[in-house]
Amino acid sequence: EVLVRIGPFAEPYPYVAACARGWFDWATADVRYRVECSVPRSVGSHALAQLDSGLLDLFLLDSTSLATALARGVGLSLLYINRVVNTDEALVARTVSRTAPQQKDIRSPKDLDGLTVGVPFGSSAHYHLSFLMELFEVQIDLRFLPPDDLLAAWDMGLIDAAWASNPTRSQLQARGGETL
């Protein structure tokens, strides 16, 4: 038996359900292949560590993690491009700050000056947010959090905004966040 270990992103794609149901297992006349799926975290840097340590054979990586791995000389092969991020990733903010000393309305990126924003470290969202800070000349208190932890920080009032992709982005919007 040959074991193939796959780590998909924790996102609602059909292949995640197929993997969990064992639909990727197959056999030839001589060999049985078993596909084991795990969703360790929805952060590419975590997946790279698992790939490097031999805990995974395949993983869906974001573009930043793939570029980082290739720059480091990690022996990877690109099998396919799953999707092109378009409106999937966005900066979502509360309409009124919860971390500022005084109540402050948030209607534009300029309003984030001095506020707290969550973002996954080393992600494309992190790079977009860094560019936004430079472009709008704002100082932001960055909280580097994996996507799974952004929602908890939002719910506890620890961040005023987050730059995230789906499903986290949609969940932030469902909790009252507005896209800037």
Side-chain angles (χ1 to χ4, degrees):
E1 182 176 88
V2 175
L3 174 64
V4 179
R5 296 156 305 168
I6 299 176
F9 269 137
E11 295 181 355
Y13 289 112
Y15 66 84
V16 176
C19 194
R21 290 187 170 101
W23 294 350
F24 292 149
D25 294 350
W26 78 96
T28 65
D30 303 324
V31 181
R32 175 170 159 37
Y33 295 91
R34 185 169 59 88
V35 177
E36 185 178 279
C37 302
S38 66
V39 183
R41 298 228 27 154
S42 54
V43 177
S45 58
H46 184 74
L48 283 177
Q50 291 205 322
L51 285 167
D52 286 343
S53 65
L55 296 173
L56 289 176
D57 302 304
L58 296 168
F59 198 92
L60 179 62
L61 290 176
D62 58 281
S63 57
T64 301
S65 298
L66 178 61
T68 300
L70 294 174
R72 283 190 356 224
V74 175
L76 295 177
S77 296
L78 178 63
L79 300 178
Y80 75 102
I81 295 175
N82 181 51
R83 65 187 159 100
V84 175
V85 175
N86 186 6
T87 58
D88 183 57
E89 189 175 278
L91 176 59
V92 179
R94 299 179 188 282
T95 54
V96 177
S97 169
R98 290 184 56 192
T99 66
Q102 298 174 353
Q103 193 172 21
K104 180 178 179 181
D105 290 343
I106 306 170
R107 301 280 182 235
S108 75
K110 278 264 196 209
D111 297 330
L112 293 173
D113 194 43
L115 299 183
T116 305
V117 179
V119 64
F121 180 78
S123 64
S124 56
H126 178 195
Y127 297 120
H128 287 123
L129 185 57
S130 297
F131 177 69
L132 178 136
M133 291 169 65
E134 183 179 323
L135 182 68
F136 288 95
E137 299 177 343
V138 293
Q139 294 297 314
I140 294 173
D141 180 15
L142 294 177
R143 300 285 185 211
F144 295 117
L145 301 167
D148 304 337
D149 295 344
L150 287 172
L151 291 171
W154 179 276
D155 290 342
M156 290 186 286
L158 301 175
I159 58 175
D160 293 305
W163 201 307
S165 57
N166 275 321
T168 305
R169 178 191 56 84
S170 297
Q171 292 168 334
L172 291 167
Q173 290 170 318
R175 287 170 161 91
E178 298 287 333
T179 302
L180 294 185

